Amino acid sequence: MEEGKSVPESHVQEIKNKGTRPGFGSKLKAHFRKWWWLHLIFFVAATLIIVLCLVYVAFPRIAQDGVNDSTLEIQSLTLSNPTSDSFHLEQTALLTNHNKYHPRLDAFNASLSVGGSADKPYAYIKIPAVHATETSTTYVNQDVQITNMDGFADYSTQLLTKDSVDLIVRGRTKLHQGRLPTTTVDYRKTVTMRGLNGLAGFNITSFSIRLLPEPDRANMIGTVYIPNPSVLTITMGNVTFNNYVDNEFIGTSSLPDLVLKPGNNTVPMRSTVNQTLVIGKVTDTYKDGMLPVDIVGNSSVYNGQHLEYFEKALQSNRQHITLNVGAALAALGGGGSTG
């Protein structure tokens, strides 16, 4: 270039353009202008994956956790019309839902077993459909077939002899929550119920002696008090007990058509005892007339059928009472009775 000559302006602009590079922002804008459709597809796909994971993975877990956190309380339970291998069940239970969701559960078949034998159900019942609001009530009213006699005998024994019994309820059902897909949940609950506590407080509150037996051979007539601290109502039929003094058998007592209801039960008693043996005990050993008697369950018969599950429970339980036989003997002359 010759000295003193100026460079044309077009050449200067060309040099400037060649030395300027586009920035990151410009490249990013250009990229999105060209590939916007690909990013849109990726965004939609990612959103869909997240939603599907929430619906089909997270929601079933949330639903199961909600079922697990709920509680079941049996408010009343009635066993009636027993046979050798079945009974009629009426049960009212309160379901408490601690979750903010209030789903609907379909009706389902549930197994019943006693604590310690969860894998050995003694019966199956149908739990009705329920809307699991904060609190909801379910009602069962059906005939139940006993599928495991030993299991039901164990349940009956625990109910009779223990202060509390664990009842295990298991099943599987469908759960519905709004427009979310229906999901399957496992229902597993252990319900702790009050038992009969070994019939603690059992007592013969009054009785009188008959020198001449009545047509059914009863020669001691009385009244028995049986407390029931549970919510159970149980039809047991004609219940008999064996009576012992110093481990020596002295006779039997019968409670006809026994139905134990919650609270205090006062029922008639008819006994057939060896009066000669009893008088001998009072004369020789228990001269104050206070006779210690051990009472052990023997049989339970309803409509002519032996209820072996109740009989095993009764035979496992032993009661000890003291009878004022001296006062009863003294009352013979006046025709009275004593407690």
Side-chain angles (χ1 to χ4, degrees):
M1 183 180 296
E2 297 181 2
E3 184 177 354
K5 291 185 177 181
S6 62
V7 180
E9 183 178 349
S10 61
H11 289 182
V12 174
Q13 183 64 36
E14 184 179 350
I15 294 173
K16 286 182 178 181
N17 289 341
K18 288 183 179 180
T20 302
R21 294 182 179 181
F24 175 77
S26 298
K27 291 182 178 180
L28 187 63
K29 290 178 181 179
H31 172 81
F32 276 106
R33 278 197 301 269
K34 183 177 182 180
W35 301 104
W36 64 269
W37 56 273
L38 184 62
H39 286 279
L40 179 60
I41 292 174
F42 176 79
F43 174 77
V44 172
T47 302
L48 184 60
I49 290 172
I50 293 173
V51 170
L52 290 176
C53 287
L54 288 174
V55 171
Y56 290 101
V57 178
F59 173 64
R61 292 180 180 176
I62 294 172
Q64 185 64 62
D65 288 343
V67 172
N68 294 343
D69 290 340
S70 66
T71 57
L72 184 67
E73 176 190 355
I74 295 179
Q75 297 183 312
S76 68
L77 192 155
T78 300
L79 298 179
S80 61
N81 196 29
T83 71
S84 60
D85 60 1
S86 68
F87 57 88
H88 187 80
L89 173 67
E90 290 186 66
Q91 175 182 292
T92 301
L94 180 68
L95 175 66
T96 302
N97 178 15
H98 303 286
N99 200 293
K100 64 180 179 180
Y101 303 107
H102 295 157
R104 295 183 180 274
L105 299 176
D106 287 350
F108 64 99
N109 290 325
S111 65
L112 302 179
S113 55
V114 67
S117 302
D119 58 339
K120 298 178 181 179
Y122 62 77
Y124 293 84
I125 63 173
K126 187 170 184 178
I127 304 293
V130 62
H131 184 197
T133 55
E134 185 174 344
T135 58
S136 49
T137 301
T138 63
Y139 180 64
V140 174
N141 184 3
Q142 64 187 76
D143 291 327
V144 178
Q145 190 72 27
I146 301 171
T147 57
N148 182 338
M149 199 62 64
D150 289 338
F152 190 58
D154 185 25
Y155 172 66
S156 301
T157 299
Q158 291 195 35
L159 275 179
L160 178 66
T161 62
K162 291 187 174 183
D163 178 62
S164 63
V165 180
D166 286 339
L167 176 65
I168 301 173
V169 183
R170 285 186 175 182
R172 174 170 287 191
T173 187
K174 300 291 185 180
L175 182 146
H176 310 271
Q177 176 61 51
R179 296 183 178 180
L180 291 171
T182 300
T183 186
T184 299
V185 292
D186 291 321
Y187 193 86
R188 298 182 178 182
K189 292 296 168 188
T190 298
V191 184
T192 300
M193 304 173 54
R194 286 291 302 274
L196 298 177
N197 196 26
L199 300 181
F202 177 100
N203 195 24
I204 297 176
T205 55
S206 65
F207 69 96
S208 60
I209 296 174
R210 303 284 196 270
L211 290 179
L212 295 177
E214 298 196 352
D216 62 354
R217 299 179 60 191
N219 57 9
M220 188 175 88
I221 312 299
T223 302
V224 171
Y225 166 76
I226 306 176
N228 178 3
S230 74
V231 297
L232 302 169
T233 298
I234 308 176
T235 298
M236 302 186 71
N238 296 323
V239 175
T240 61
F241 297 87
N242 292 336
N243 305 317
Y244 301 86
V245 175
D246 300 332
N247 292 321
E248 186 172 5
F249 179 74
I250 63 169
T252 61
S253 296
S254 175
L255 307 181
D257 301 321
L258 178 62
V259 178
L260 285 180
K261 299 179 180 180
N264 299 327
N265 295 266
T266 300
V267 297
M269 176 196 72
R270 302 183 68 81
S271 302
T272 301
V273 299
N274 186 330
Q275 293 182 348
T276 302
L277 185 58
V278 168
I279 293 173
K281 293 282 186 182
V282 172
T283 302
D284 299 335
T285 307
Y286 302 99
K287 297 182 179 180
D288 60 355
M290 305 301 291
L291 195 67
V293 180
D294 289 318
I295 301 174
V296 182
N298 179 19
S299 66
S300 175
V301 179
Y302 185 80
N303 282 344
Q305 297 185 57
H306 278 269
L307 309 178
E308 294 185 2
Y309 41 87
F310 285 159
E311 291 179 345
K312 289 181 179 179
L314 290 166
Q315 291 164 10
S316 70
N317 196 54
R318 194 179 190 94
Q319 297 292 320
H320 181 82
I321 63 172
T322 301
L323 289 180
N324 191 345
V325 176
L329 291 172
L332 281 176
S337 65
T338 185

